[in-house]
PDB file of all heavy atoms in Angstrom:
ATOM      1  N   ALA A1605      77.888 106.050  99.038  1.00  0.00           N
ATOM      2  CA  ALA A1605      78.479 107.214  99.659  1.00  0.00           C
ATOM      3  C   ALA A1605      78.014 108.454  98.972  1.00  0.00           C
ATOM      4  O   ALA A1605      78.155 108.574  97.726  1.00  0.00           O
ATOM      5  CB  ALA A1605      79.996 107.100  99.598  1.00  0.00           C
ATOM      6  N   GLY A1606      77.506 109.460  99.732  1.00  0.00           N
ATOM      7  CA  GLY A1606      77.099 110.727  99.095  1.00  0.00           C
ATOM      8  C   GLY A1606      77.476 111.889 100.041  1.00  0.00           C
ATOM      9  O   GLY A1606      77.980 112.851  99.509  1.00  0.00           O
ATOM     10  N   GLU A1607      77.255 111.761 101.286  1.00  0.00           N
ATOM     11  CA  GLU A1607      77.584 112.760 102.297  1.00  0.00           C
ATOM     12  C   GLU A1607      78.666 112.259 103.170  1.00  0.00           C
ATOM     13  O   GLU A1607      78.811 111.005 103.399  1.00  0.00           O
ATOM     14  CB  GLU A1607      76.319 113.075 103.150  1.00  0.00           C
ATOM     15  CG  GLU A1607      75.109 113.456 102.319  1.00  0.00           C
ATOM     16  CD  GLU A1607      75.158 114.760 101.628  1.00  0.00           C
ATOM     17  OE1 GLU A1607      75.940 115.626 102.210  1.00  0.00           O
ATOM     18  OE2 GLU A1607      74.458 115.045 100.693  1.00  0.00           O
ATOM     19  N   LEU A1608      79.376 113.170 103.855  1.00  0.00           N
ATOM     20  CA  LEU A1608      80.420 112.821 104.819  1.00  0.00           C
ATOM     21  C   LEU A1608      79.907 111.883 105.949  1.00  0.00           C
ATOM     22  O   LEU A1608      80.569 110.852 106.229  1.00  0.00           O
ATOM     23  CB  LEU A1608      80.941 114.126 105.437  1.00  0.00           C
ATOM     24  CG  LEU A1608      82.314 114.064 106.091  1.00  0.00           C
ATOM     25  CD1 LEU A1608      83.358 113.475 105.091  1.00  0.00           C
ATOM     26  CD2 LEU A1608      82.731 115.511 106.409  1.00  0.00           C
ATOM     27  N   PHE A1609      78.724 112.167 106.401  1.00  0.00           N
ATOM     28  CA  PHE A1609      78.250 111.324 107.513  1.00  0.00           C
ATOM     29  C   PHE A1609      77.929 109.879 107.151  1.00  0.00           C
ATOM     30  O   PHE A1609      77.944 108.992 107.880  1.00  0.00           O
ATOM     31  CB  PHE A1609      77.011 111.978 108.272  1.00  0.00           C
ATOM     32  CG  PHE A1609      75.753 111.974 107.487  1.00  0.00           C
ATOM     33  CD1 PHE A1609      74.834 110.834 107.656  1.00  0.00           C
ATOM     34  CD2 PHE A1609      75.327 112.972 106.636  1.00  0.00           C
ATOM     35  CE1 PHE A1609      73.673 110.804 107.014  1.00  0.00           C
ATOM     36  CE2 PHE A1609      74.227 112.917 105.949  1.00  0.00           C
ATOM     37  CZ  PHE A1609      73.353 111.877 106.016  1.00  0.00           C
ATOM     38  N   HIS A1610      77.652 109.708 105.778  1.00  0.00           N
ATOM     39  CA  HIS A1610      77.436 108.373 105.273  1.00  0.00           C
ATOM     40  C   HIS A1610      78.709 107.470 105.546  1.00  0.00           C
ATOM     41  O   HIS A1610      78.545 106.346 105.941  1.00  0.00           O
ATOM     42  CB  HIS A1610      77.114 108.286 103.786  1.00  0.00           C
ATOM     43  CG  HIS A1610      75.840 108.990 103.373  1.00  0.00           C
ATOM     44  ND1 HIS A1610      75.606 109.553 102.128  1.00  0.00           N
ATOM     45  CD2 HIS A1610      74.744 109.189 104.130  1.00  0.00           C
ATOM     46  CE1 HIS A1610      74.440 109.981 102.138  1.00  0.00           C
ATOM     47  NE2 HIS A1610      73.821 109.812 103.247  1.00  0.00           N
ATOM     48  N   LEU A1611      79.889 108.019 105.288  1.00  0.00           N
ATOM     49  CA  LEU A1611      81.088 107.316 105.390  1.00  0.00           C
ATOM     50  C   LEU A1611      81.353 107.017 106.913  1.00  0.00           C
ATOM     51  O   LEU A1611      81.790 105.923 107.217  1.00  0.00           O
ATOM     52  CB  LEU A1611      82.212 108.049 104.703  1.00  0.00           C
ATOM     53  CG  LEU A1611      82.039 108.141 103.205  1.00  0.00           C
ATOM     54  CD1 LEU A1611      82.130 109.562 102.688  1.00  0.00           C
ATOM     55  CD2 LEU A1611      83.056 107.211 102.506  1.00  0.00           C
ATOM     56  N   VAL A1612      81.129 108.019 107.710  1.00  0.00           N
ATOM     57  CA  VAL A1612      81.388 107.761 109.129  1.00  0.00           C
ATOM     58  C   VAL A1612      80.360 106.690 109.776  1.00  0.00           C
ATOM     59  O   VAL A1612      80.819 105.793 110.463  1.00  0.00           O
ATOM     60  CB  VAL A1612      81.184 109.128 109.900  1.00  0.00           C
ATOM     61  CG1 VAL A1612      81.374 108.925 111.423  1.00  0.00           C
ATOM     62  CG2 VAL A1612      82.163 110.189 109.445  1.00  0.00           C
ATOM     63  N   ASP A1613      79.147 106.789 109.243  1.00  0.00           N
ATOM     64  CA  ASP A1613      78.087 105.814 109.755  1.00  0.00           C
ATOM     65  C   ASP A1613      78.486 104.416 109.287  1.00  0.00           C
ATOM     66  O   ASP A1613      78.214 103.461 110.088  1.00  0.00           O
ATOM     67  CB  ASP A1613      76.832 106.170 109.116  1.00  0.00           C
ATOM     68  CG  ASP A1613      75.953 107.132 110.014  1.00  0.00           C
ATOM     69  OD1 ASP A1613      76.537 107.440 111.082  1.00  0.00           O
ATOM     70  OD2 ASP A1613      74.884 107.514 109.620  1.00  0.00           O
ATOM     71  N   ALA A1614      79.111 104.204 108.104  1.00  0.00           N
ATOM     72  CA  ALA A1614      79.327 102.892 107.689  1.00  0.00           C
ATOM     73  C   ALA A1614      80.481 102.258 108.576  1.00  0.00           C
ATOM     74  O   ALA A1614      80.441 101.049 108.784  1.00  0.00           O
ATOM     75  CB  ALA A1614      79.908 102.911 106.257  1.00  0.00           C
ATOM     76  N   VAL A1615      81.257 103.108 109.211  1.00  0.00           N
ATOM     77  CA  VAL A1615      82.273 102.552 110.131  1.00  0.00           C
ATOM     78  C   VAL A1615      81.622 102.384 111.594  1.00  0.00           C
ATOM     79  O   VAL A1615      81.773 101.437 112.225  1.00  0.00           O
ATOM     80  CB  VAL A1615      83.516 103.485 110.225  1.00  0.00           C
ATOM     81  CG1 VAL A1615      84.526 102.962 111.225  1.00  0.00           C
ATOM     82  CG2 VAL A1615      84.168 103.508 108.883  1.00  0.00           C
ATOM     83  N   LYS A1616      80.822 103.400 111.865  1.00  0.00           N
ATOM     84  CA  LYS A1616      80.263 103.388 113.303  1.00  0.00           C
ATOM     85  C   LYS A1616      79.123 102.368 113.390  1.00  0.00           C
ATOM     86  O   LYS A1616      79.267 101.504 114.278  1.00  0.00           O
ATOM     87  CB  LYS A1616      79.638 104.807 113.493  1.00  0.00           C
ATOM     88  CG  LYS A1616      80.110 105.581 114.732  1.00  0.00           C
ATOM     89  CD  LYS A1616      79.664 106.959 114.695  1.00  0.00           C
ATOM     90  CE  LYS A1616      78.860 107.312 115.913  1.00  0.00           C
ATOM     91  NZ  LYS A1616      78.487 108.774 115.966  1.00  0.00           N
ATOM     92  N   SER A1617      78.212 102.423 112.476  1.00  0.00           N
ATOM     93  CA  SER A1617      77.073 101.489 112.644  1.00  0.00           C
ATOM     94  C   SER A1617      77.319 100.200 111.752  1.00  0.00           C
ATOM     95  O   SER A1617      76.949  99.134 112.225  1.00  0.00           O
ATOM     96  CB  SER A1617      75.692 102.129 112.097  1.00  0.00           C
ATOM     97  OG  SER A1617      75.718 103.452 112.347  1.00  0.00           O
ATOM     98  N   GLY A1618      77.981 100.331 110.635  1.00  0.00           N
ATOM     99  CA  GLY A1618      78.186  99.176 109.764  1.00  0.00           C
ATOM    100  C   GLY A1618      79.411  98.386 110.106  1.00  0.00           C
ATOM    101  O   GLY A1618      79.697  97.281 109.674  1.00  0.00           O
ATOM    102  N   LYS A1619      80.289  98.930 111.105  1.00  0.00           N
ATOM    103  CA  LYS A1619      81.495  98.304 111.562  1.00  0.00           C
ATOM    104  C   LYS A1619      82.389  97.912 110.381  1.00  0.00           C
ATOM    105  O   LYS A1619      83.160  96.888 110.449  1.00  0.00           O
ATOM    106  CB  LYS A1619      81.246  97.004 112.385  1.00  0.00           C
ATOM    107  CG  LYS A1619      80.055  97.126 113.381  1.00  0.00           C
ATOM    108  CD  LYS A1619      80.585  97.577 114.766  1.00  0.00           C
ATOM    109  CE  LYS A1619      79.512  97.702 115.760  1.00  0.00           C
ATOM    110  NZ  LYS A1619      79.351  99.049 116.240  1.00  0.00           N
ATOM    111  N   ALA A1620      82.420  98.713 109.271  1.00  0.00           N
ATOM    112  CA  ALA A1620      83.225  98.407 108.131  1.00  0.00           C
ATOM    113  C   ALA A1620      84.786  98.660 108.543  1.00  0.00           C
ATOM    114  O   ALA A1620      85.027  99.640 109.297  1.00  0.00           O
ATOM    115  CB  ALA A1620      82.888  99.252 106.955  1.00  0.00           C
ATOM    116  N   ASP A1621      85.626  97.838 107.908  1.00  0.00           N
ATOM    117  CA  ASP A1621      87.100  98.073 108.158  1.00  0.00           C
ATOM    118  C   ASP A1621      87.615  99.011 107.124  1.00  0.00           C
ATOM    119  O   ASP A1621      88.699  99.620 107.346  1.00  0.00           O
ATOM    120  CB  ASP A1621      87.771  96.724 107.980  1.00  0.00           C
ATOM    121  CG  ASP A1621      87.308  95.742 108.979  1.00  0.00           C
ATOM    122  OD1 ASP A1621      87.845  95.856 110.160  1.00  0.00           O
ATOM    123  OD2 ASP A1621      86.502  94.864 108.724  1.00  0.00           O
ATOM    124  N   ALA A1622      86.950  99.134 106.018  1.00  0.00           N
ATOM    125  CA  ALA A1622      87.410  99.948 104.913  1.00  0.00           C
ATOM    126  C   ALA A1622      86.206 100.516 104.160  1.00  0.00           C
ATOM    127  O   ALA A1622      85.236  99.789 104.062  1.00  0.00           O
ATOM    128  CB  ALA A1622      88.339  99.250 104.034  1.00  0.00           C
ATOM    129  N   LEU A1623      86.502 101.684 103.527  1.00  0.00           N
ATOM    130  CA  LEU A1623      85.359 102.204 102.755  1.00  0.00           C
ATOM    131  C   LEU A1623      85.840 102.383 101.258  1.00  0.00           C
ATOM    132  O   LEU A1623      86.897 102.966 101.122  1.00  0.00           O
ATOM    133  CB  LEU A1623      85.033 103.577 103.285  1.00  0.00           C
ATOM    134  CG  LEU A1623      84.512 103.593 104.768  1.00  0.00           C
ATOM    135  CD1 LEU A1623      84.331 105.066 105.257  1.00  0.00           C
ATOM    136  CD2 LEU A1623      83.200 102.810 104.945  1.00  0.00           C
ATOM    137  N   LEU A1624      84.999 101.961 100.366  1.00  0.00           N
ATOM    138  CA  LEU A1624      85.305 102.205  99.035  1.00  0.00           C
ATOM    139  C   LEU A1624      84.301 103.079  98.331  1.00  0.00           C
ATOM    140  O   LEU A1624      83.046 102.910  98.582  1.00  0.00           O
ATOM    141  CB  LEU A1624      85.296 100.801  98.239  1.00  0.00           C
ATOM    142  CG  LEU A1624      85.710 100.716  96.827  1.00  0.00           C
ATOM    143  CD1 LEU A1624      86.663  99.607  96.543  1.00  0.00           C
ATOM    144  CD2 LEU A1624      84.507 100.581  95.971  1.00  0.00           C
ATOM    145  N   ALA A1625      84.783 104.085  97.617  1.00  0.00           N
ATOM    146  CA  ALA A1625      83.822 104.890  96.891  1.00  0.00           C
ATOM    147  C   ALA A1625      84.480 105.466  95.559  1.00  0.00           C
ATOM    148  O   ALA A1625      85.622 105.473  95.442  1.00  0.00           O
ATOM    149  CB  ALA A1625      83.451 106.050  97.783  1.00  0.00           C
TER     150      ALA A1625
END
Side-chain angles (χ1 to χ4, degrees):
Chain A
E1607 308 285 339
L1608 201 49
F1609 74 89
H1610 293 155
L1611 293 129
V1612 176
D1613 271 358
V1615 177
K1616 239 168 118 176
S1617 322
K1619 317 269 181 244
D1621 298 282
L1623 303 171
L1624 182 136

